[in-house]
Amino acid sequence: MAAVRLTGRLGGVVRPPGGRAGRILATSITVDAVGRGLFLAGSVVFFTREVGLSAAEVGAGLAIAGLVGLLAGYPVGLLADRFGARRVLVGLHIYRAFALAAYTLIESFTGFVLVGGLVAVAAGSTVPVLQTLVGDAVGAEQRVTTMGYLRAVQNAGFAVGGLLAAGAIGVDTRTAYVALILVNAASFVVSAFLVRRLPTVGSTRRAGSARALDALRDIPFLIITAGNGILQLHTTLLAVGVPLWILLHTSMPPVVVAAVFVLNTVLAVALQVPVSATATTLPGSGTAFRRAGLSLAVCCVLLVASGYQAGAVAVALLVLAVIALTFGEMLQAAAAWSAGYALAPEQRRASYLSVLGMGSSVQSMAGPVIITAVVGVGTWGLLLLAAGLMAAAEVARGVIRGRGGSL
């Protein structure tokens, strides 16, 4: 009987929630993620070795693209509110396919910035529109767990795409890198076809232009957006902060950096769905925000401790730090999904979720500067970061409580 119960629980994680709509969306996300994993793994090498850009030019171009994505998110959200999330998401996928394919034509920094900006228009808008579509297509009780499942599938797809890209990187020719880009472009076309198969759901004409700025005027929602954006520093903490800490403040070998990313990916794929199930209500989102802040603060403290140890003890502390970071990451995502669905008016859901997504865009631009400075300071930098993360979580939780999420 115990085995039967365990199988049932695992089946709930393996099978996409949300019925037929959930299955279609999961397939679409899988195709999308594998394609993007291919591109992300080989793109920097392509831009530097084949196009001839310097590392500084790549960084500057991506920063400009990030700003374009930030500015484009809200207008695209308004379009989804007016014409329906499914229609707009299909259009975004087709647009991204052509925009991404244009990378194969660039020969200069100017071309890189131009094409990067075109790609960013869709890249900065797709997630809020997808979340809106999930909210339309899936029952209210399954929205957050469906988003959790899609995130887990996406992480797995990125990992598979990255592994597949190793072959092209090994060949190391322009033809191989161009193939990576075109395969990613084709994956967007396939994703568009799959999303097109979803039945028409939600209002095909949502809010009118007279209420277009509602989300930007909702001060409590903007505060939650800011708190959520601060908590999303976990993204840069993992990608930049932890590797720098290992290299600058511990005696651990560089190979540990790769193991950190593997551990994070495995945990996120395996546990995002059950973690998301703890935050399916507005009160649950407030609790998840608090737990996310606490988990990320614990991660910072454990990283500090690892710098004062050596050998197996230091490695064990690092592993615990990455586990705490991963739980903070999963809790933050679930809290944001739940709060977004609960607090966004149905007729303006896409524009509200686009505002919520701005926190992520700002973090992606400011995060590397903040985390690099924190690690450079050392122990006190990480401890101050821990305090800031916990404060951001408590602010978001307090606003949610004021909006009816009694805790």
Side-chain angles (χ1 to χ4, degrees), residues 14-110:
V14 173
R15 290 192 300 271
R20 178 174 179 269
R23 292 191 295 272
I24 291 174
L25 288 168
T27 305
S28 171
I29 290 294
T30 300
V31 173
D32 180 332
V34 171
R36 281 195 288 159
L38 284 166
F39 172 73
L40 292 173
S43 59
V44 172
V45 180
F46 172 75
F47 295 140
T48 54
R49 297 188 59 169
E50 301 300 327
V51 181
L53 302 178
S54 68
E57 287 176 325
V58 173
L62 293 178
I64 295 170
L67 179 59
V68 172
L70 172 65
L71 297 176
Y74 192 69
V76 174
L78 292 175
L79 288 175
D81 279 341
R82 187 162 184 82
F83 299 106
R86 187 193 68 160
R87 185 181 301 176
V88 171
L89 185 58
V90 170
L92 284 173
H93 282 322
I94 297 298
Y95 168 86
R96 289 178 82 182
F98 284 101
L100 194 81
Y103 270 134
T104 63
L105 306 176
I106 64 173
E107 297 179 345
S108 65
F109 175 67
T110 301

